[in-house]
Amino acid sequence: MYSLSILAAGVIGPSIPGAGLARSHAPTIAQFETLIAADRKLSGPFDLADGSSTITSLLTEDVALFAIPVPGLARNKADARQVLGKAFGPGQSVVTTVPIRVGLSSDGTQGFSFGFMNVGRDKLKLGKYVAYWVRSAAGWQVAAFKWVPRPEGTVSTGRREPALPTKFAASAKDNFAHEQYRKSLDATERRFSADAQTMGIGRAFRKYGSADAMNVGGEADFTFGNDAIAEAQGGDAAKGSPVRWAPDGVLVSSSGDLGVTFGYLDRNGATPPGRLTRIPFFTIWRRAAPKDEWRYVAE
């Protein structure tokens, strides 16, 4: 849908940042196309028995992955394959995806995608997915991934505007700066949790989210926009937070404008029967430039 020729001509429209920069930054725009192509590869056969999965072939060795209702956050490829197998069920099946949005860092080395992912078997399992991608010499691979089952219901499958940077930059070689980007995102996630305890989780979700943010939620469709996400969390009426959290891991692009945090939510009160005491999470964050504040864009 977002071909290089269309982006170069700027015909998607001025509302998409970076569209007019395609001619002078064709290599980075080309990475956007390769990311879309990689996301398409998430669709395909899945069989836990022999590992013939298009999904698991795309995972990094140190991937962070969870799939509801399987407890825990897998932190390597072997464990991730087992988690997916338990979530999807034994035997052969076919995974089909409908991507909704794709985003890219300004250095073209990291990106994200999300949409609907169904698992075909005797009975179709409906779901939603979020993937965080990193690019190396081997191409795009998934560094963080989650699959969440969804109930039947009306959903919007139209493509949303891609999250392109306002400008493109070469991959930075400054390791010190890169570490400062990582630390700033780690600190932002921790402030998000701390503020949720005092101002209320609804207000915190509004404060730390972007207007184009996405929340997977528990309904058939996604929830879009920090205001709608905040209302789904209780809005201004929410007192305190039922959970607290902090990142166990952080990945950030060398350009400092896209990153992901992952770890566990811990309940502040008693654990309801049949529920997890610790709930895995990962959140994708974005900002226009390293001087700006991080805001979550998908979680």
Side-chain angles (χ1 to χ4, degrees), residues 46-49 53 55-56 59 63-90 117 119 121 125 145-149 264 276 280:
F46 184 90
D47 190 339
L48 177 63
S53 167
I55 296 178
T56 55
L59 304 179
V63 65
L65 178 148
F66 68 92
I68 295 176
V70 183
L73 177 69
R75 294 297 302 273
N76 60 67
K77 187 173 183 175
D79 288 347
R81 178 170 162 262
Q82 295 298 318
V83 168
L84 288 175
K86 291 177 181 178
F88 293 170
M117 175 179 284
V119 182
R121 204 186 304 277
K125 290 189 176 182
F145 184 86
K146 68 177 174 182
W147 182 83
V148 178
Y264 285 91
L276 299 175

Side-chain angles (χ1 to χ4, degrees), residues 25 28 105-109 165 167-172 254-255 257:
H25 298 275
T28 306
S105 64
S106 62
D107 62 1
T109 64
K167 61 181 180 179
F168 296 107
S171 181
S254 69
S255 48
D257 60 339

Side-chain angles (χ1 to χ4, degrees), residues 120-135:
R121 204 186 304 277
D122 296 336
K123 183 178 180 181
L124 189 66
K125 290 189 176 182
L126 305 178
K128 295 178 273 191
Y129 77 97
V130 186
Y132 192 83
W133 301 79
V134 295
R135 183 174 63 85

Side-chain angles (χ1 to χ4, degrees), residues 63-66 73 111-114 129-133 142-147 189 214 216 249 259-265 279-285 296 298-299:
V63 65
L65 178 148
F66 68 92
L73 177 69
F112 70 88
S113 61
F114 64 80
Y129 77 97
V130 186
Y132 192 83
W133 301 79
V142 177
F145 184 86
K146 68 177 174 182
W147 182 83
E189 184 71 84
M214 177 280 292
V216 169
V260 62
T261 54
F262 50 86
Y264 285 91
L265 308 171
I279 308 162
F281 81 89
F282 82 77
T283 305
I284 299 169
W285 299 81
Y296 68 79
E299 56 96 28

Side-chain angles (χ1 to χ4, degrees), residues 20-265:
L21 299 176
R23 294 187 192 282
S24 58
H25 298 275
T28 306
I29 287 292
Q31 289 304 328
F32 183 70
E33 283 204 322
T34 62
L35 177 55
I36 294 169
D39 182 83
R40 293 193 188 104
K41 294 178 183 178
L42 292 172
S43 296
F46 184 90
D47 190 339
L48 177 63
D50 62 8
S52 60
S53 167
T54 53
I55 296 178
T56 55
S57 66
L58 292 169
L59 304 179
T60 61
E61 290 298 329
D62 57 352
V63 65
L65 178 148
F66 68 92
I68 295 176
V70 183
L73 177 69
R75 294 297 302 273
N76 60 67
K77 187 173 183 175
D79 288 347
R81 178 170 162 262
Q82 295 298 318
V83 168
L84 288 175
K86 291 177 181 178
F88 293 170
Q92 296 181 345
S93 61
V94 176
V95 175
T96 58
T97 59
V98 180
I100 301 300
R101 196 180 195 200
V102 176
L104 187 72
S105 64
S106 62
D107 62 1
T109 64
Q110 297 190 15
F112 70 88
S113 61
F114 64 80
F116 300 101
M117 175 179 284
N118 302 328
V119 182
R121 204 186 304 277
D122 296 336
K123 183 178 180 181
L124 189 66
K125 290 189 176 182
L126 305 178
K128 295 178 273 191
Y129 77 97
V130 186
Y132 192 83
W133 301 79
V134 295
R135 183 174 63 85
S136 65
W140 287 105
Q141 291 181 292
V142 177
F145 184 86
K146 68 177 174 182
W147 182 83
V148 178
R150 67 177 179 87
E152 292 187 5
T154 302
V155 298
S156 174
T157 57
R159 289 283 186 93
R160 301 181 76 86
E161 290 183 348
L164 291 181
T166 54
K167 61 181 180 179
F168 296 107
S171 181
K173 304 299 182 183
D174 188 339
N175 292 331
F176 177 79
H178 194 188
E179 177 61 13
Q180 297 312 301
Y181 299 154
R182 191 199 66 78
K183 287 181 177 179
S184 72
L185 183 50
D186 180 277
T188 298
E189 184 71 84
R190 293 175 191 275
R191 286 196 301 271
F192 184 13
S193 176
D195 282 352
Q197 313 309 306
T198 56
M199 68 172 57
I201 194 167
R203 285 191 173 95
F205 266 91
R206 181 175 286 110
K207 175 181 177 180
Y208 285 90
S210 58
D212 64 340
M214 177 280 292
N215 177 273
V216 169
E219 304 299 324
D221 209 346
F222 297 98
T223 302
F224 292 103
N226 60 325
D227 287 335
I229 294 169
E231 289 305 310
Q233 297 293 332
D236 293 343
K239 306 297 183 183
S241 173
V243 292
R244 64 192 185 281
W245 65 93
D248 292 333
V250 179
L251 293 175
V252 181
S253 67
S254 69
S255 48
D257 60 339
L258 190 70
V260 62
T261 54
F262 50 86
Y264 285 91
L265 308 171

